[in-house]
Each structure stands twice: as C-alpha cells, then as structure tokens.
Amino acid sequence: MVSELEDLIERTARNDESAFHALYEETRSAVYGFAMSILKHPQDAEDAMQDTYLSIYHAASGYASRGKPMAWILTITRNHCMMKLRGQKRRGETSLEELERWVEGQSSLPAEEKLILEQALKTLNEEEYQIVTLHSLGDLRHREIAHLLDMKLSTVLSKYRRALAKLRAIIGEEA
C-alpha cells in the first residue's frame, strides 16, 4: 500500500486527476475518521478533509518519499483540524449515534474492522480511539502514531495494548 500511495502522490504532483481521485478513495476513510476523532463534529471533519485534499493536491510536488505517505497525509489532516479548532469556537460534541452511523456507512471497510471501530466507539477513551483508528484505518506504525499525536512511543504502545484489552473483553463477552 505504501508504494501505491507514493505512486499516487507522485502522479498527483504531475496533475494526474485520476491518480488524485484514486488517492482520495484509498485514504478518505482514514482522513475522515482521524478528523472526526479530533473535531467531534461531522461538518467540521468534512471541512478539514476537504482542506486536507486541497493541500495534498497543491503540495504533492513537494512530497519527499520516506516510505510514510499515510503519515504525511494525516499530518496535513491534523494541521487543518488544529487550525479549525483555533479559528472558531468548538461546536458541541458529536453524539455517539452520529459516529456509529459514520462507521456503518463505511462500505469499503472489511466487516472485522467495522466491528472493531463500532466497539471502540462504545468502549475506548478519545486517545485510545485515535490510536486504534490510526493503526487500523491509517495503517500506521506505533512510532508514526506517536509522532503524529505528539506522544512518547511507550505511551502509544501502552494505550494501544490497553485499548485492545478492552476490545477483546467486549468482543469476548459478545461471542
């Protein structure tokens, strides 16, 4: 997936619209999910997502291949989310029902990942949810997540293990 994303970014830099569309389709779930985990409001997350893809389109020629295209994309997403939070008063929290509807609407996700995200919404705190989402949807390594969330690697690893333990307990109860 990494080399595929890098190829799509490179082709986007050459104004290949089909590559940009493919890049969007390949990464949109992770970008939106990450934006929702920060902004907690669907409209704000959609705005940040749109800004992210505009930035990607314009900055693709400056992308330096380091084997981490998803981290680059999610860093852009995080920056747009932080600007949005700084630039306006934060809206009320998104209801759990809105987040659950979003997960249910993700037809491109495998059933197993959908189940994990649905359980994560009900069980995990915000940081744990972000870490599990970035690892699952964003296909990021823990070190990349630590950098993206500005946390120590050991903190990310412990929160990830704690989150998985919570999810296993819930899934085990339902089985």
Side-chain angles (χ1 to χ4, degrees):
M1 180 168 157
V2 170
S3 61
E4 178 185 337
L5 290 179
E6 287 187 340
D7 178 58
L8 293 173
I9 293 169
E10 182 181 308
R11 289 175 36 212
T12 296
R14 295 189 309 256
N15 296 319
D16 181 339
E17 289 184 27
S18 65
F20 182 65
H21 179 72
L23 180 68
Y24 170 81
E25 289 299 323
E26 192 70 33
T27 60
R28 68 186 172 103
S29 292
V31 168
Y32 183 79
F34 184 50
M36 277 291 285
S37 74
I38 295 170
L39 297 170
K40 305 284 191 273
H41 192 274
Q43 186 61 48
D44 290 342
E46 287 173 16
D47 290 346
M49 188 167 111
Q50 182 177 8
D51 292 341
T52 295
Y53 285 103
L54 284 172
S55 293
I56 289 169
Y57 188 79
H58 294 294
S61 61
Y63 172 72
S65 176
R66 293 188 182 104
K68 300 177 182 181
M70 201 64 202
W72 180 71
I73 291 168
L74 293 176
T75 297
I76 293 170
T77 305
R78 183 192 65 199
N79 292 342
H80 282 291
C81 290
M82 293 302 140
M83 285 190 296
K84 190 158 217 34
L85 288 175
R86 275 186 245 121
Q88 67 186 26
K89 289 183 180 177
R90 195 168 181 177
R91 295 184 189 183
E93 295 291 307
T94 299
S95 70
L96 181 60
E97 292 81 29
E98 286 178 293
L99 289 170
E100 287 173 345
R101 277 195 304 272
W102 175 78
V103 170
E104 288 171 9
Q106 298 304 302
S107 58
S108 63
L109 287 179
E112 182 179 292
E113 286 187 11
K114 267 187 166 178
L115 176 65
I116 290 170
L117 289 174
E118 287 168 356
Q119 292 304 320
L121 286 172
K122 297 173 186 171
T123 310
L124 306 179
N125 68 38
E126 184 176 328
E127 286 181 339
E128 292 167 339
Y129 177 75
Q130 280 186 322
I131 291 166
V132 169
T133 302
L134 289 170
H135 191 66
S136 176
L137 287 178
D139 201 27
L140 295 179
R141 294 184 180 128
H142 293 105
R143 186 173 307 284
E144 295 166 330
I145 295 169
H147 177 70
L148 191 62
L149 298 179
D150 196 27
M151 292 181 179
K152 291 181 179 180
L153 177 60
S154 60
T155 302
V156 169
L157 289 169
S158 68
K159 287 180 183 283
Y160 181 73
R161 281 190 215 106
R162 192 174 317 123
L164 286 184
K166 287 180 184 180
L167 292 173
R168 282 186 189 114
I170 294 295
I171 291 170
E173 289 173 10
E174 293 179 1

